[in-house]
Amino acid sequence: MIDEIGFERLTTAMVAERAGASIGTVYRYFPDRIAVVEALAIRSTQRLAERFLSALDESGAGSWQEACDALVDATVEMYRTEPGFRAIRFGDAADTGSRDAEDRMAALGAAVSQVLHDRFGFPAGERVARTWVVLAESAHAVIARAMRDRSAPDTALIEEYRTMSRAHLEAVVAAS
């Protein structure tokens, strides 16, 4: 529904109707529409992390650069297939007025950083953590734009993001 009408127009009554549940049932689990969106964001963050790890294992990535490509691919796939993923902008806490989104993005970035550190010796530290925030926020902006038409994504735009993020990460690694 968020994909169809956007967050601003979403109501708990709409959620109940689409789910085939009573409004009372929805309110039992979610006090308001923001809680529904937060739950969707949590689920989407978890699924992205799972898809990244699967993509990383399936790709046989031998370097952090290849692992980053797997992360971009997993994110693009989420935009293509996961209902609500693009619309919730789960990296943008301003959409819901919650800082939970910022915490989720930081946690996701920390998890990616830890995987790259453990598997490929990728450096850690404050600058690296900040870099993951910058890359996550910019990824969602660029990929959302590239996936405006899911049937004909702008793959050139996605490749520009991949090139930009890799160059930035290489600069951070060189400075570490």
Side-chain angles (χ1 to χ4, degrees):
M1 289 188 68
I2 295 171
D3 279 345
E4 296 168 17
I5 65 168
F7 170 74
E8 297 79 18
R9 294 180 51 210
L10 182 72
T11 67
T12 50
M14 291 175 179
V15 171
E17 183 179 329
R18 179 67 63 94
S22 72
I23 191 74
T25 299
V26 172
Y27 279 124
R28 183 178 308 144
Y29 298 100
F30 305 104
D32 54 31
R33 71 189 178 111
I34 292 171
V36 172
V37 174
E38 287 294 317
L40 177 62
I42 290 167
R43 183 184 76 179
S44 293
T45 304
Q46 291 168 339
R47 286 186 179 173
L48 176 57
E50 291 166 4
R51 285 191 187 187
F52 167 59
L53 290 174
S54 293
L56 187 56
D57 291 340
E58 290 169 10
S59 72
S63 68
W64 66 261
Q65 293 91 337
E66 291 172 352
C68 289
D69 286 343
L71 178 59
V72 171
D73 294 340
T75 305
V76 168
E77 183 65 12
M78 289 286 290
Y79 270 92
R80 193 177 70 71
T81 63
E82 189 76 14
F85 189 78
R86 170 194 1 217
I88 61 171
R89 295 280 302 141
F90 65 88
D92 189 354
D95 279 355
T96 63
S98 168
R99 293 191 57 86
D100 291 345
E102 293 173 6
D103 295 341
R104 274 192 306 282
M105 290 303 283
L108 182 61
V112 169
S113 185
Q114 189 65 50
V115 167
L116 296 184
H117 178 74
D118 292 349
R119 293 190 185 194
F120 307 106
F122 195 83
E126 187 177 323
R127 174 139 191 240
V128 171
R130 192 172 43 252
T131 296
W132 285 116
V133 171
V134 168
L135 292 177
E137 295 291 342
S138 58
H140 289 289
V142 172
I143 295 171
R145 183 181 177 106
M147 298 299 292
R148 282 182 182 165
D149 179 356
R150 290 181 189 181
S151 64
D154 185 342
T155 55
L157 196 56
I158 294 166
E159 290 309 309
E160 285 296 327
Y161 173 77
R162 191 184 309 270
T163 300
M164 179 204 70
S165 63
R166 185 177 284 194
H168 186 65
L169 285 168
E170 287 172 352
V172 169
V173 168
S176 295

